[in-house]
Every structure is written in structure tokens, then in C-alpha cells.
């Protein structure tokens, strides 16, 4: 090992030392020496650029190339361009990619096959199909790599049909696909469930002697499984002369995706009996498979078997098996997992523990999140961020704020995510002045420039706090372009505070920024209806229709005994529909007796003729809550999820139900969690 950097060496020795350093992976020393050379030649530049890319510093490589270009003494050659094109591919930087492409054309390599192929790959990784097509078309000679790279670019950009088209064009042009091409195109067939083309590719592979290729075969198994042809998937698998871990795992997932859990388990046992070396993917594939098929008990059994085999569950395992723990009462093994995590992970794995906090919060188990967090012996920025966000999600602004102050005073540096978390927590709890001072402290004390998220959070804080004019002024004073989030926050608050003029202004901006979001039209129309401006409201509805924007239908779901039950408005498909409506009618009667008035404002949400059946009693969230109550089975709480915001009347009704029935009802809507208990909601009627 060379310990000191030699100084004042003759140039040829300099180069020798740099090469030595690069060979031993010591990029830092190589760079120090490189910087001492006044005019490095192009080979040396290229060498260093390549080394940066290889060692995972593509941005540094791109910077180096820029420096080289700025000196302007020598023109880039093909090798230099090749190495920086790889750097752009790795970093996915499309702007730099275009610059490299321009340079290639400028210095006469525009139709060079080797460089062209590298640039198609580069644009593919940047997901910029237009660029790839230009390079491709400029190539005078195209080989199998050019076609395959183009194909894979289409796949990367999600343009699967074009990828299939490219394969056909390739064959027509007389270029023969190779194994690489086949494994690029098969995933596209899987996603599109294009069995015919998949078969064609398969046949082509056999004709061209690729039936022994492991990658092609694994991709074929996956393709057949995605097209529900499990028999053919099996056949390919059984005929494989060689299998690796990936092929086994693909076959197991294939069984699961076709609902054949037993076959998957048999295959897994065969794998073990044959002495195939299992890896994390195998264990996780089988645990996920059982969870996806609703077989939590089986998943838990595999979970404990995994540990008998000496595998410590990792983050993916924990995250996939955790939903089984959210119904601790109803599952025998649930508590075991929970205690397993507590026994084994706390002191070792910060990432898994943090994932646990987040998953618990997402499942509505905020108390468990807190318990896990408080037991962590060491907390890093991500852990603090997670508990802050967890509190914010549940509308516990004060606690989010408390955590934030604790974090700062314990010496952990907040980052940009921390501030988004604490500000959004504050907005739900109307802590306006606290938010303002945190926002101003960002650049002043924490050296973090607020970004568009933070600005949107502040607009939300001010809007929800009822300081609408201030919020509007804040948007106008923003040094960056206000996002849809900022205008959306203002518009949402205009509904709550019944501010028609500002509502119109906010909506007019939103119609420009995100013209296809139905929520904005509905919100403005609701504001207008509340203000009894019927004509203008129906104009907005018409505008929405004319632009062909469809309202997203509201939908709620609830898990009862390992099964997910979904409800839409006016749903009568459930086996217990009669009981559900009876229950809701009784509740409504009791509510009237108790002096509740139905919030008719929300009946008017849907004035369209097609929505007329949409009356108050049958909103999806009410149906799901009623269903949950009817199937309580001794539990003290139910959890309902909704894809849109909860409506005001449902909010009132659920508060009432929680009080009358004496249970805790947790509803997660598109924005936040509502915890209903004893006739009150954690959001304090503000959402
Ligand atoms: Zn409702
Ligand atoms: Zn609420």
C-alpha cells in the first residue's frame, strides 16, 4: 500500500501512479494526483471518468467530463464519450445525456454503432424514448444490441406495445433476437398479459436454441403465470436443465399469483429437500404469497420456520407479515410476531424498527408506533421523522411538535422531510404561530432552504387556521412557482370557511395546473352550492363534463376476519346489506331524537342526474362502519379505509355511532386518520 502521495514526479510516473491507485480502488489519491497534472491527456480523463462511474459516483464522473469540456483544449474522443454516456445512464440525468448526445454528433460519432448503442441504453435508463429513437434512427448499421436496447427503453418507459412493435420490426429487418432480447421483451408480455406474443417469443427461442437459457426460461415462467397459464409455466420450469434461486422463486410466485398456495408450498418443500440454498427472496416470496392470498396463519408459520432455519427476518419480511399483526386479537400468531420483533430487532436493526413504527401508524395503531419508538435505544433522523409523520398522519400536531423539539434538543439534525412532517402535523392541529416560527427557523437555524412542499404546508397551515387572506398573500410572495398542493390547500379551506371569492381564484389556478383533477371541480362546485350560487355551480359541473373528467367513485373498505370487504355508494351487494341499512336507519332515528340534524350540505355534493340516488344514508364509509359494527366479535375498535375525503355528514354520524355503540372507530380517508370515540373525533371536526 502506498501511504503518501508522491510530489513533483515526472509526468509519465504521475500517470503510472494514478493507474496504480485506480487499480487498487483508491479513487481519492488518484484524483489528488490527477489534479496536480496541468494538462492531462484525454486517456487519463477517460480513465478517471470511467473509475468514478464504476465505483458508484456517476455525478462526479459527469462533473469531471464538464470540467474537461470547459478547458476546451482537446476534443472528446469516442472512449471519453462512451464512459460519460455510461455515467449518465447510471445517474439517469437526462439533461446531461442530451449534452453528451450533442457532443457525439458534433465530433462526428453520431452514427457510430458502439457509441450509438451506449447512448440508446443511456436514454433508456433516463426513460427518454425520444432521444433513444433519434440515436437509433441515426445509426447506419443496427445490430442486435441496438434493437434490444431500444426495446428495453420502450419497456422502461412503460410503452410496452411499442416494445412489441420494435421486436417485430427487428425480425422483419433480418436481425435475429438473442437471449438478452427475449428476456427484455417477456416482462412486457407479462404486464400486457399478451399470451399470443409470449408464445411467439417462446417458439422463437426454441427455434433458435435458447431453450436452455436460464434467464429466458425464468422470464417465460413468469410470463405464462401472468397470463394465467400455470400449466405451461410448470412445463417450462420442469424442462429447465439448470435452475438457479431466481427460477425457483419465480415458480413459487407463479403459483401464488394463480392462487395455488398448496403447490407453492410443495415446491418450497421440494426446494428445501433438494438442498437448494435458500435466500431471503425465497422466504419473503413465500410469506408475501400467503399474505397476498389472505392466508395469514400460513404466513406466520413460515415466518417461524424461517427463524428455525437461521434467517433473521429483514425489513421486507417484517413489512409483509405485519398486516397480520394489526388484528392482534384475532390471530394466534400475531402476538408472537410482535414479541419476536420486540425481542430481536430493537437493539440491532434501526431500519426494521423504523419500518415497524411506520406500518403500525399506517394500520391505525398509533399507540403501538409510540411504544416501539419509545423502546428504541438509538434514534436517527429517519426514526424521528417517522414518529413525527406518524403523529401528523393521525392529526396529533402537538405531539409532532413535541417530538420535533425533543429531536432538535437531543442533537439529531432535522432534514427537509422532518420539516414537511412537523408542518403538516401543525396544520391539522391549527398551530399557526408555531408553524410560522418553525418555517422561518429552517433557513435561519437549520440551514435548509424551504422547498415547494414546505411552502405548500405553510399555505395549508394558514388556510386551515382560517387566515385565508394571509395564505393567499403567502402564495403570491412565494419565491418558487406555487404547486397544486398550495392552491389545493387554499381551496379546501375556502370550503370550510365558505369563502367564495378566494375559492374562485384558487380553483382558477388549479384548473390550469392540474386540469384533470376532478376533486378541484367538485370542491368549487360545493363551495358555490353552499353559497346558493346554483347557476355558477352547474356551470362548473358542465365544464368538468365538457373536459371529459370523471369523478373518482368513493369507495371504502374494512377487514373482517382476514377478508377485505369493499363498499361503494348505495352498495347492496354485501350478504348483510339488509342488516346494514336497518342499522343505519335506526342510528338515524336515534340521532334525530338526540337533536342531530342531517348535514344536507353534503347531499348537494352530487347534483348530477346520474348521482341522484346518492343520498346521505348510503355513503360507502357509513356502510363499511355499519358492517364493521355488525361483525364486531368482541373487539373494541374497527378500522375503515376510504379512498376520498370523508364527508361531513358521515363524520357526524360516525361520531354518534361511536358514542352509542361504545367502540372506537378509526377511519383513514385520503388525507388523514380520524379517531372517533365517545362522540368526538381526533380531528376536532377539522379536516
Ligand atoms: Zn358521507
Ligand atoms: Zn375527524
Amino acid at each position: 500500500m502506498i501511504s503518501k502521495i508522491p510530489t513533483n514526479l515526472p509526468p509519465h510516473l504521475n500517470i503510472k501512479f494514478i493507474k496504480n491507485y485506480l487499480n487498487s480502488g483508491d479513487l481519492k489519491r488518484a484524483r489528488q494526483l490527477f489534479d496536480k497534472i496541468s494538462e492531462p491527456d484525454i486517456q487519463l480523463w477517460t480513465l478517471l471518468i470511467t473509475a468514478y462511474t464504476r465505483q458508484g459516483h456517476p455525478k462526479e464522473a459527469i462533473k469531471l467530463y464538464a470540467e474537461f469540456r470547459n478547458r476546451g483544449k482537446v476534443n472528446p474522443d469516442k472512449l471519453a464519450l462512451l464512459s460519460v454516456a455510461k455515467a449518465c445512464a447510471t445517474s439517469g440525468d437526462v439533461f446531461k445525456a442530451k449534452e453528451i448526445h450533442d457532443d457525439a454528433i458534433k465530433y462526428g460519432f453520431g452514427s457510430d454503432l458502439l457509441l450509438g448503442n451506449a447512448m440508446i441504453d443511456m436514454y433508456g435508463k433516463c426513460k427518454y424514448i425520444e432521444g433513444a429513437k433519434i440515436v437509433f434512427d441515426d445509426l447506419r448499421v443496427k445490430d442486435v444490441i441496438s434493437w434490444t436496447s431500444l426495446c428495453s427503453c420502450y419497456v422502461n418507459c412503460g410503452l410496452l406495445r411499442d416494445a412489441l412493435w420494435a421486436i417485430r420490426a427487428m425480425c422483419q429487418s433480418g436481425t435475429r433476437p438473442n437471449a438478452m432480447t427475449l428476456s427484455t421483451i417477456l416482462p412486457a408480455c407479462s404486464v400486457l398479459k399478451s399470451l399470443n406474443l409470449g408464445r411467439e417469443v417462446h417458439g422463437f427461442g426454441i427455434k433458435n436454441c435458447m431453450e436452455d437459457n436460464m434467464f429466458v426460461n425464468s422470464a417465460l415462467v413468469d410470463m405464462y403465470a401472468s397470463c394465467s397459464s400455470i400449466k405451461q409455466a410448470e412445463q417450462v420450469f420442469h424442462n429447465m436443465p439448470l435452475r438457479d434461486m431466481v427460477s425457483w422463486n419465480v415458480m413459487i410466485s407463479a403459483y401464488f399469483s394463480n392462487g395455488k398456495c398448496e403447490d407453492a408450498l410443495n415446491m418450497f418443500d421440494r426446494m428445501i429437500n433438494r438442498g437448494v440454498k435458500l435466500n431471503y427472496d425465497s422466504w419473503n416470496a413465500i410469506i408475501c404469497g400467503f399474505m397476498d392470498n389472505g392466508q395469514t396463519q400460513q404466513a406466520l408459520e413460515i415466518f417461524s420456520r424461517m427463524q428455525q432455519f437461521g434467517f433473521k427476518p429483514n425489513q421486507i419480511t417484517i413489512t409483509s407479515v405485519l398486516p397480520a399483526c394489526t388484528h392482534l386479537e384475532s390471530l394466534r400468531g400475531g402476538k408472537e410476531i410482535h414479541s419476536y420483533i420486540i425481542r430481536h430487532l430493537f437493539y440491532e436493526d434501526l431500519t426494521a424498527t423504523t419500518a415497524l413504527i411506520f406500518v403500525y401508524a399506517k394500520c391505525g395503531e398509533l399507540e403501538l408506533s409510540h411504544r416501539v419508538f419509545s423502546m428504541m435505544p438509538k434514534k436517527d433522523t429517519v426514526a424521528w421523522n417517522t414518529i413525527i409523520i406518524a403523529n401528523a398522519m393521525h392529526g396529533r400536531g402537538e405531539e409532532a411538535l413535541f417530538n420535533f423539539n425533543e429531536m432538535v434538543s437531543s442533537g439529531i439534525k432535522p432534514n427537509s422531510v422532518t420539516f414537511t412532517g412537523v408542518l403538516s402535523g401543525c396544520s391539522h392541529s391549527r398551530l399557526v404561530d408555531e408553524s410560522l416560527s418553525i418555517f422561518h427557523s429552517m433557513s435561519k437555524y437549520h440551514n435548509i432552504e424551504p422547498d415547494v412542499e414546505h411552502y405548500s404546508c405553510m399555505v395549508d397551515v394558514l388556510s386551515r387556521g382560517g387566515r385565508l387572506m394571509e395564505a393567499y398573500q403567502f402564495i403570491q410572495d412565494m419565491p418558487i412557482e406555487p404547486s397544486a398542493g398550495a392552491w389545493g390547500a387554499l381551496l379546501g379551506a375556502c370550503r370550510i370557511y365558505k369563502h367564495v371569492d378566494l375559492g374562485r381564484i384558487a380553483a382558477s389556478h388549479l384548473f390550469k395546473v392540474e386540469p384533470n383533477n376532478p376533486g378541484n371541480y367538485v370542491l368549487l362546485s360545493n363551495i358555490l352550492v353552499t353559497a346558493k350560487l346554483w347557476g355558477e355551480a352547474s356551470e362548473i359541473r358542465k365544464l368538468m363534463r365538457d373536459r371529459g373528467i370523471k369523478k373518482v367513485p368513493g369507495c371504502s373498505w374494512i377487514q373482517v376476519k382476514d377478508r377485505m370487504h369493499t363498499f361503494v355508494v348505495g352498495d347492496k351487494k354485501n350478504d348483510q346489506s339488509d342488516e346494514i341499512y336497518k342499522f343505519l336507519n335506526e342510528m338515524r332515528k336515534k340521532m334525530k331524537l338526540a337533536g342531530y340534524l342531517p348535514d344536507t350540505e353534503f347531499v348537494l355534493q352530487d347534483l348530477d342526474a346520474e348521482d341522484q340516488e346518492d343520498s346521505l344514508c348510503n355513503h360507502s364509509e357509513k356502510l363499511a362502519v355499519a358492517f364493521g359494527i355488525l361483525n364486531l366479535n368482541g373487539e373494541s375498535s374497527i378500522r375503515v379505509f376510504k379512498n376520498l375525503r370523508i364527508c361531513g355528514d358521515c363524520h357526524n354520524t360516525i361520531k354518534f355511532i361511536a358514542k352509542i355503540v361504545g367502540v372506537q372507530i378509526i377511519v383513514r380517508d385520503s388525507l388523514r386518520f380520524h379517531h372517533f370515540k365517545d362522540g368526538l373525533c381526533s380531528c376536532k371536526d377539522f379536516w
Side-chain angles (χ1 to χ4, degrees):
M1 198 68 201
I2 311 153
S3 54
K4 254 204 218 142
I5 294 174
T7 44
N8 303 326
L9 288 169
H12 71 279
L13 271 184
N14 257 336
I15 294 167
K16 205 177 146 221
F17 269 103
I18 290 179
K19 284 185 180 165
N20 277 344
Y21 283 137
L22 288 179
N23 283 338
S24 64
D26 194 343
L27 205 51
K28 211 173 141 198
R29 288 222 168 98
R31 180 60 188 264
Q32 281 173 341
L33 212 49
F34 177 86
D35 287 340
K36 288 204 171 86
I37 304 173
S38 57
E39 279 183 26
D41 66 4
I42 184 144
Q43 280 82 16
L44 212 49
W45 283 101
T46 308
L47 216 56
L48 208 60
I49 292 173
T50 312
Y52 271 117
T53 314
R54 279 214 188 116
Q55 294 196 27
H57 309 289
K59 291 221 156 77
E60 213 42 53
I62 295 169
K63 245 196 241 160
L64 203 60
Y65 179 80
E67 201 181 305
F68 160 73
R69 294 286 289 125
N70 279 340
R71 293 206 188 176
K73 295 223 165 87
V74 199
N75 291 342
D77 64 1
K78 190 166 128 182
L79 286 177
L81 287 164
L82 263 175
S83 65
V84 69
K86 287 212 177 87
C88 291
T90 318
S91 75
D93 186 336
V94 69
F95 296 104
K96 292 288 173 227
K98 279 186 182 163
E99 283 175 33
I100 304 309
H101 188 186
D102 287 344
D103 276 1
I105 295 171
K106 188 168 165 195
Y107 295 105
F109 302 108
S111 52
D112 181 87
L113 183 63
L114 191 62
L115 184 57
N117 287 347
M119 289 195 296
I120 297 174
D121 178 60
M122 164 184 85
Y123 277 130
K125 302 263 162 60
C126 300
K127 299 191 181 182
Y128 184 62
I129 187 67
E130 283 74 15
K133 277 201 302 211
I134 294 172
V135 178
F136 184 82
D137 289 338
D138 283 349
L139 288 178
R140 270 190 294 272
V141 187
K142 305 175 207 321
D143 65 2
V144 60
I145 300 175
S146 336
W147 282 101
T148 306
S149 305
L150 181 69
C151 222
S152 129
C153 183
Y154 278 125
V155 173
N156 276 349
C157 297
L159 300 163
L160 303 175
R161 287 183 197 285
D162 294 281
L164 300 188
W165 163 85
I167 283 287
R168 293 209 174 92
M170 170 182 191
C171 293
Q172 276 161 16
S173 79
T175 311
R176 297 166 76 84
N178 61 15
M180 188 66 196
T181 326
L182 264 47
S183 15
T184 303
I185 197 67
L186 282 168
C189 302
S190 293
V191 175
L192 290 175
K193 304 201 188 311
S194 170
L195 184 58
N196 282 340
L197 193 91
R199 278 212 187 100
E200 224 176 277
V201 174
H202 189 181
F204 180 88
I206 293 173
K207 257 186 270 157
N208 290 277
C209 310
M210 287 180 245
E211 71 251 63
D212 289 352
N213 187 289
M214 208 155 57
F215 301 105
V216 175
N217 279 325
S218 298
L220 278 171
V221 171
D222 181 62
M223 182 276 294
Y224 279 124
S226 307
C227 300
S228 317
S229 305
I230 190 71
K231 280 268 162 293
Q232 269 147 309
E234 269 177 334
Q235 221 167 39
V236 175
F237 182 80
H238 289 309
N239 290 334
M240 282 173 79
L242 262 177
R243 301 184 190 109
D244 66 353
M245 188 54 72
V246 177
S247 7
W248 284 93
N249 293 345
V250 167
M251 192 62 226
I252 288 177
S253 303
Y255 280 130
F256 277 123
S257 63
N258 283 270
K260 294 185 171 293
C261 299
E262 214 166 296
D263 290 327
L265 189 59
N266 286 339
M267 170 86 24
F268 190 69
D269 287 334
R270 260 179 62 199
M271 223 170 140
I272 293 178
N273 292 338
R274 285 198 180 189
V276 179
K277 255 185 104 201
L278 300 171
N279 63 7
Y280 272 105
D281 286 344
S282 336
W283 288 105
N284 290 340
I286 194 147
I287 291 175
C288 284
F290 277 125
M291 287 300 295
D292 286 347
N293 280 281
Q295 304 208 9
T296 28
Q297 200 54 49
Q298 278 285 14
L300 295 176
E301 269 159 36
I302 302 288
F303 181 78
S304 52
R305 236 169 111 187
M306 174 177 190
Q307 293 152 55
Q308 285 159 19
F309 270 77
F311 279 86
K312 223 176 71 187
N314 65 9
Q315 201 189 342
I316 299 172
T317 328
I318 299 286
T319 338
S320 51
V321 83
L322 264 177
C325 306
T326 54
H327 286 271
L328 293 176
E329 311 94 329
S330 60
L331 278 163
R332 257 188 300 137
K335 286 200 174 109
E336 284 164 33
I337 293 198
H338 185 67
S339 64
Y340 170 85
I341 292 162
I342 291 181
R343 266 182 290 135
H344 295 273
L345 287 171
F346 272 138
Y347 305 100
E348 297 157 29
D349 195 337
L350 211 60
T351 330
T353 321
T354 306
L356 186 62
I357 298 177
F358 191 59
V359 171
Y360 274 144
K362 258 175 62 179
C363 298
E365 298 274 9
L366 187 59
E367 292 321 314
L368 286 177
S369 300
H370 276 287
R371 226 191 291 166
V372 173
F373 183 74
S374 68
M375 287 175 75
M376 288 175 84
K378 222 177 77 205
K379 299 165 174 106
D380 62 357
T381 304
V382 181
W384 280 104
N385 287 355
T386 309
I387 195 71
I388 289 172
I389 291 168
N391 277 317
M393 263 160 72
H394 288 265
R396 304 239 187 125
E398 282 91 355
E399 275 179 61
L401 191 60
F402 178 75
N403 285 145
F404 172 76
N405 289 329
E406 249 188 325
M407 173 183 186
V408 174
S409 59
S410 75
I412 304 289
K413 260 195 157 91
N415 62 16
S416 149
V417 179
T418 321
F419 287 100
T420 314
V422 68
L423 289 176
S424 76
C426 287
S427 78
H428 284 295
S429 300
R430 280 185 270 187
L431 300 165
V432 182
D433 295 320
E434 291 84 345
S435 304
L436 277 169
S437 89
I438 288 179
F439 181 79
H440 292 305
S441 79
M442 284 180 69
S443 52
K444 210 167 161 190
Y445 300 119
H446 301 286
N447 219 355
I448 296 170
E449 274 315 308
D451 65 21
V452 71
E453 284 266 323
H454 302 119
Y455 279 101
S456 301
C457 278
M458 276 317 294
V459 175
D460 199 33
V461 167
L462 292 166
S463 308
R464 282 169 188 278
R467 288 150 73 161
L468 295 186
M469 286 320 285
E470 230 178 301
Y472 182 44
Q473 192 58 48
F474 190 86
I475 294 185
Q476 286 171 307
D477 294 344
M478 272 169 69
I480 34 185
E481 193 64 31
S483 65
W487 289 115
L490 183 60
L491 182 63
C494 289
R495 180 186 67 84
I496 296 172
Y497 291 103
K498 303 186 172 38
H499 202 306
V500 180
D501 291 337
L502 264 185
R504 283 197 194 105
I505 295 175
S508 75
H509 284 279
L510 281 165
F511 293 163
K512 272 181 233 144
V513 195
E514 40 172 35
N516 295 319
N517 182 347
N520 300 329
Y521 298 87
V522 176
L523 259 177
L524 179 60
S525 138
N526 285 345
I527 293 171
L528 295 166
V529 166
T530 312
K532 303 204 164 41
L533 297 163
W534 317 102
E536 203 183 331
S538 72
E539 265 170 45
I540 297 298
R541 291 276 168 166
K542 189 172 172 301
L543 180 67
M544 181 172 159
R545 266 198 307 275
D546 291 348
R547 290 186 176 177
I549 303 158
K550 291 237 162 53
K551 226 181 76 187
V552 182
C555 169
S556 300
W557 57 97
I558 180 169
Q559 194 180 349
V560 170
K561 290 195 203 93
D562 297 347
R563 240 197 86 198
M564 216 47 112
H565 300 263
T566 318
F567 295 87
V568 293
V569 62
D571 209 319
K572 295 232 165 78
K573 281 201 286 291
N574 193 283
D575 292 342
Q576 289 171 274
S577 284
D578 290 346
E579 286 108 302
I580 291 175
Y581 285 100
K582 217 175 109 204
F583 174 83
L584 287 174
N585 277 331
E586 270 166 29
M587 279 299 145
R588 185 147 294 267
K589 268 186 226 151
K590 285 186 186 159
M591 278 176 80
K592 272 199 187 131
L593 286 175
Y596 275 85
L597 288 175
D599 208 336
T600 46
E601 200 183 292
F602 297 97
V603 187
L604 304 167
Q605 268 189 346
D606 302 290
L607 278 177
D608 292 0
E610 76 234 29
D611 287 333
Q612 262 175 9
E613 82 277 14
D614 189 0
S615 78
L616 277 177
C617 288
N618 59 12
H619 280 177
S620 65
E621 57 266 50
K622 279 198 192 91
L623 301 177
V625 165
F627 180 76
I629 301 270
L630 291 171
N631 292 282
L632 256 177
N633 209 7
E635 286 151 44
S636 59
S637 67
I638 61 167
R639 254 169 235 96
V640 167
F641 299 86
K642 189 184 181 194
N643 65 335
L644 305 175
R645 275 196 226 194
I646 186 172
C647 95
D649 186 70
C650 288
H651 198 267
N652 266 338
T653 311
I654 297 171
K655 275 198 292 191
F656 188 79
I657 295 178
K659 188 176 172 189
I660 295 280
V661 185
V663 287
Q664 191 185 17
I665 302 170
I666 299 164
V667 179
R668 194 199 76 193
D669 68 6
S670 60
L671 279 187
R672 57 171 296 151
F673 276 94
H674 301 262
H675 294 252
F676 298 92
K677 208 178 169 185
D678 298 332
L680 297 172
C681 179
S682 61
C683 74
K684 302 183 184 89
D685 296 338
F686 204 94
W687 69 92

